[in-house]
Amino acid sequence: MAQQLVGKLALVTGAGSGIGRSTCRVLRDYGARVIAGDRNLNAAEETAKELGDRGEYYDVFPLEIDVSSMESVTNAVAKTCKQFNTAPSIVVNSAGITRDGYLLKMPERDYDDVYSVNLKGTFMVTQQFAKAMIEHQTKGGSIINLSSIVAKMNNIGQANYAATKAGVISFTEVASKEFGKFSIRVNAILPGYINTPMVAVVPDKIKEQVVMRCPLGRLGDPSEIAEVIAFLASDKSSYVNGASIEVTGGLK
Ligand SMILES: NC(=O)c1ccc[n+]([C@@H]2O[C@H](COP(=O)([O-])OP(=O)(O)OC[C@H]3O[C@@H](n4cnc5c(N)ncnc54)[C@H](O)[C@@H]3O)[C@@H](O)[C@H]2O)c1
């Protein structure tokens, strides 16, 4: 396997499940050392154990981080920089939640919770880890934000989620313009429907409709998102900046 990420240190949030866990595996397989960050420390430890137990690599380190708390994010930055004596040059914002419901019945709490994790969490992790990259003069930084095709499809019942994921696209573009001078690239990925615990709770009827509308006729596998993340993390994408890449099997 190509080792295009050898010598790089990566932080992945939401690493205890789904796309985040798969991303840890793929980045590790390409040679990176990976910090598996999640609010659920047991799940992050499970990711590290699963990957560590598989072969010769012991390069996945669990980290507790709640991306919706500035205190937790700054603690995570301090802990990481102390442990590795540098800042990660790759940051993947994969932590995300849904609280679906019709707009007229949506509790304010469900709006706030989704905002706090998906959009404000992306802001806090990006801001604090980018500061650390700049302080440590990290070369060739790459930040990858998980948006969603829902930002463009705007499904009913997802006013909170769709708004945050559309926000992630704009946020990514602004960050890419501000960080270019520090050689830090910032890009977003818009996955379609991917087989993870997040999609497991979507009613079967909706999933069948999605599969019918998808030109490839199936849901995606988390590894198919992780491979694109690995490309954006590597120097192979050195001129890709401020992009929003759809990975949906052609679903629009
Ligand atoms: N699965 C899909 O079809 C799909 C499609 C489009 C976009 N996405 C996005 O991709 C990302 C990953 O989704 P997934 O399907 O792997 O979800 P998932 O539910 O399988 O995993 C999400 C992980 O994020 C963690 N998390 C939640 N809140 C957190 C917080 N405050 N701080 C730190 N960690 C937290 C959870 O503990 C969990 O381990 C999300 O941002 C999601 O919105 C997923």
Side-chain angles (χ1 to χ4, degrees):
M1 173 164 291
Q3 294 285 284
Q4 65 246 33
L5 298 177
V6 168
K8 304 225 184 228
L9 178 65
L11 167 78
V12 179
T13 71
S17 176
I19 292 169
R21 179 172 283 177
S22 184
T23 299
C24 292
R25 178 190 306 280
V26 170
L27 297 183
R28 190 276 321 256
D29 285 349
Y30 285 128
R33 286 180 303 164
V34 180
I35 302 154
D38 205 287
R39 177 167 62 183
N40 180 344
L41 181 60
N42 287 339
E45 284 172 344
E46 196 52 45
T47 297
K49 190 163 157 254
E50 196 182 297
L51 298 181
D53 281 352
R54 285 205 159 205
E56 72 268 39
Y57 297 103
Y58 289 87
D59 279 341
V60 180
F61 306 88
L63 173 75
E64 187 169 10
I65 178 172
D66 177 355
V67 303
S68 66
S69 152
M70 185 58 110
E71 191 187 356
S72 174
V73 171
T74 53
N75 285 343
V77 174
K79 202 171 164 191
T80 300
C81 293
K82 189 166 176 222
Q83 183 175 351
F84 296 93
N85 206 21
T86 186
S89 64
I90 300 165
V91 172
V92 181
N93 280 302
S94 189
I97 59 169
T98 51
R99 295 283 183 274
D100 294 351
Y102 290 117
L103 186 47
L104 290 179
K105 292 184 178 163
M106 185 175 285
E108 185 183 358
R109 179 77 198 264
D110 285 359
Y111 189 90
D112 287 345
D113 285 352
V114 170
Y115 166 76
S116 300
V117 178
N118 296 6
L119 187 52
K120 193 174 173 202
T122 299
F123 154 68
M124 292 194 287
V125 170
T126 299
Q127 182 190 57
Q128 295 305 316
F129 277 92
K131 272 187 191 172
M133 280 184 208
I134 294 162
E135 246 166 55
H136 286 83
Q137 299 180 335
T138 309
K139 296 273 174 282
S142 176
I143 299 172
I144 297 123
N145 297 328
L146 271 295
S147 173
S148 168
I149 197 61
V150 166
K152 293 186 175 173
M153 284 170 47
N154 295 310
N155 296 335
I156 60 169
Q158 293 202 297
N160 50 359
Y161 185 78
T164 61
K165 293 301 183 179
V168 166
I169 295 174
S170 303
F171 174 81
T172 298
E173 289 179 13
V174 174
S176 73
K177 289 180 179 172
E178 294 193 13
F179 295 172
K181 65 179 173 221
F182 303 111
S183 298
I184 299 171
R185 297 180 293 111
V186 192
N187 292 289
I189 294 185
L190 284 61
Y193 282 73
I194 312 301
N195 243 326
T196 72
M198 182 179 274
V199 161
V201 298
V202 173
D204 285 344
K205 209 175 125 206
I206 307 274
K207 277 190 278 202
E208 282 161 21
Q209 286 169 5
V210 166
V211 167
M212 271 168 55
R213 279 174 39 213
C214 175
L216 291 186
R218 63 175 176 84
L219 301 182
D221 187 81
S223 65
E224 294 176 295
I225 303 300
E227 288 288 350
V228 182
I229 292 173
F231 168 69
L232 290 173
S234 80
D235 298 337
K236 287 182 183 289
S237 59
S238 51
Y239 206 54
V240 183
N241 190 27
S244 298
I245 299 176
E246 294 180 17
V247 189
T248 66
L251 181 75
K252 297 272 180 197

